[in-house]
């Protein structure tokens, strides 16, 4: 086909483009993923038994703020990586802050705890199932985010896939906080982070295959 | 120094003109959008020719892939972002895609296998004619390429009507016609 004919083909029946298409698409996929994951938690495990009183505990809100901040940073980065030529810049800083905060708080807590209690701080009661549950809960967000980004235009596919996976992992942890009763930062710094890293790695591996356009 | 200045002024002027046409196109103005695509074609052809001195035959193919990509990704452009940065990222992406596919093709290239095929091809002359039969050729295409060609090119439907008839989106119809015709041409030449 001649280039001239292609241009004619592309301009016939041209429709206006909706504004803020990138933001809308990502917001929609993020909400869909969270909604399905929340329903899955409510239908299988249910909320943690002390959900009412724990809402007055600032530690619960810090615990939720951790994955929420990571999710916001990942969402910002997903938006930037979905636009050709956009800079990612400050998004990485926003991503590093919650991680650094949780890791330094955990290091301080472990260092100041009596040696006999240190393992307990890291392992909690549920370390065996935590990462698995988070990864399972990340699946709906993972699919939704990749759906959204396939309709956009990422040009750095491995990186875009990794950040999409991270978003799915962070959303899953955020949802998981309504079920998981662990309240020690060293536990979050280990198992929650691992739960976010596995979808990130999966996203990085699948990025080139799933996000090509 | 003077020539550098003149060059950067030309680039800026092109950015402003192209950007105005593109933004009007985003709002639905087909004439302005056409002007944008034609302007872009000129710049892009020069850009690709400079970068592919040894593959001039592929320039037009990559150019068309890039135009398609720009069209299909036009909703990801954010007002205020330099248009050249956005276009350049897309062009580079399509160029890398071409290099990757090219490297794969070269790696698979095996002169002995080619020779085998040529020996068998020479022993019968009929299939060459049969293969030109449009129906037979179309059957070899996947649905997403075949249906758009049947609806738009053979039955003469508009893109919108073809979209309704096939359940595919309008941009999928346009992409399908383009890719399908290209695949058919390649097959007629005997590439695949």
């Amino acid at each position: 086909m001649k280039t001239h004919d292609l241009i004619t083909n592309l301009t016939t029946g041209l429709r206006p483009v909706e504004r803020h298409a990138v933001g809308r698409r990502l917001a929609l996929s993020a909400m869909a993923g969270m909604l399905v994951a929340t329903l899955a938690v409510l239908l299988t495990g249910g909320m943690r038994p002390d959900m009412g009183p724990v809402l007055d505990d600032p530690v619960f809100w810090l615990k939720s703020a951790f994955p929420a901040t990571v999710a916001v940073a990942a969402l910002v980065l997903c938006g930037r990586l979905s636009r050709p030529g956009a800079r990612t810049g400050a998004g990485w800083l926003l991503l590093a802050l919650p991680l650094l905060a949780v890791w330094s708080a955990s290091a301080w807590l472990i260092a100041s705890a009596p040696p006999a209690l240190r393992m307990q701080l890291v392992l909690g009661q549920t370390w065996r199932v935590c990462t698995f549950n988070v990864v399972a809960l990340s699946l709906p967000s993972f699919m939704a985010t990749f759906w959204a980004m396939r309709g956009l235009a990422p040009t750095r596919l491995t990186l875009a896939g990794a950040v999409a996976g991270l978003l799915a992992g962070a959303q899953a942890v955020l949802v998981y906080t309504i079920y998981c009763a662990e309240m020690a930062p060293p536990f979050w710094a280990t198992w929650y982070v691992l739960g976010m890293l596995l979808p990130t790695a999966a996203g990085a591996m699948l990025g080139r295959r799933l996000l090509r356009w | 120094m003077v020539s550098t200045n003149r060059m950067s002024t030309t680039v800026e002027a092109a950015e402003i003109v192209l950007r105005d046409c593109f933004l009007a196109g985003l709002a639905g103005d087909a004439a302005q959008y056409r002007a944008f695509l034609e302007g872009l074609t000129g710049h892009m052809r020069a850009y690709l020719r400079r970068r592919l001195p040894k593959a001039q035959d592929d320039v037009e193919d990559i150019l068309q892939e890039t135009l398609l990509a720009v069209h299909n990704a036009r909703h990801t452009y954010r007002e205020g972002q330099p248009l050249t940065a956005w276009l350049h990222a897309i062009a580079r992406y399509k160029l890398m895609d071409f290099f990757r596919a090219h490297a794969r093709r070269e790696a698979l290239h095996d002169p002995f296998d080619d020779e085998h095929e040529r020996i068998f091809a020479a022993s019968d002359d009929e299939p060459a004619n049969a293969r030109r039969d449009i129906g037979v050729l179309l059957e070899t295409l996947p649905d997403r390429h075949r249906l758009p060609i049947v609806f738009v090119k053979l039955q003469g439907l508009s893109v919108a009507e073809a979209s309704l008839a096939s359940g595919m989106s309008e941009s999928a119809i346009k992409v399908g016609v383009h890719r399908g015709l290209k695949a058919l041409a390649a097959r007629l030449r005997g590439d695949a």
Side-chain angles (χ1 to χ4, degrees), chain A:
Chain A
M1 195 200 294
K2 298 245 174 64
T3 304
H4 185 78
D5 298 336
L6 172 67
I7 293 179
T8 307
N9 181 356
L10 294 180
T11 46
T12 15
L14 187 72
R15 298 246 179 82
V17 167
E18 63 163 339
R19 292 167 63 86
H20 311 298
V22 174
R24 264 186 226 200
R25 205 172 164 91
L26 283 170
L28 182 71
S29 67
M31 280 192 290
M34 292 275 284
L35 190 69
V36 175
T38 309
L39 284 176
V41 166
L42 295 180
L43 290 177
T44 54
M47 279 190 270
R48 52 190 288 179
D50 58 346
M51 193 66 200
V54 87
L55 290 180
D56 294 328
D57 186 347
V59 177
F60 173 78
W61 293 105
L62 280 177
K63 171 174 145 165
S64 306
F66 167 51
T69 326
V70 174
V72 168
L75 195 56
V76 168
L77 286 169
C78 275
R80 302 248 172 104
L81 287 167
S82 297
R83 296 172 185 278
R87 292 173 193 280
T88 42
W92 299 114
L93 190 66
L94 187 61
L95 181 62
L97 286 176
L99 282 170
L100 286 178
V102 167
W103 279 336
S104 42
S106 305
W108 179 76
L109 278 169
I110 290 174
S112 54
L117 287 180
R118 283 179 184 164
M119 276 316 274
Q120 183 57 35
L121 274 177
V122 174
L123 297 181
Q125 305 292 319
T126 59
W127 67 276
R128 277 172 220 275
V129 293
C130 175
T131 300
F132 172 80
N133 286 344
V134 168
V135 169
L137 285 177
S138 76
L139 286 177
S141 298
F142 195 92
M143 288 188 278
T145 310
F146 270 86
W147 165 82
M149 287 180 86
R150 279 175 61 88
L152 300 171
T155 53
R156 295 147 83 185
L157 303 185
T158 304
L159 191 61
V163 174
L166 178 66
L167 174 59
Q171 287 187 319
V173 170
L174 184 57
V175 170
Y176 190 59
T177 56
I178 62 176
Y179 166 81
C180 173
E182 301 286 353
M183 295 298 258
F187 182 92
W188 317 336
T190 315
W191 308 108
Y192 284 6
V193 171
L194 189 62
M196 294 188 221
L197 282 181
L198 289 177
T200 307
M205 280 191 289
L206 293 172
R208 188 153 290 289
R209 198 172 317 157
L210 294 184
L211 296 176
R212 260 192 90 211
W213 56 288

Side-chain angles (χ1 to χ4, degrees), chain A residues 1 3 12 15 17 151 213, chain B residues 26 60 64 75 94 170 174:
Chain A
M1 195 200 294
T3 304
T12 15
R15 298 246 179 82
V17 167
W213 56 288
Chain B
L26 289 186
E60 216 57 21
Q64 294 186 3
H75 60 296
K94 282 294 159 186
E170 287 189 21
K174 291 177 178 182

Side-chain angles (χ1 to χ4, degrees), chain B residues 17-29:
Chain B
V17 172
L18 276 186
R19 193 167 167 273
D20 286 347
C21 293
F22 179 62
L23 289 179
L26 289 186
D29 185 332

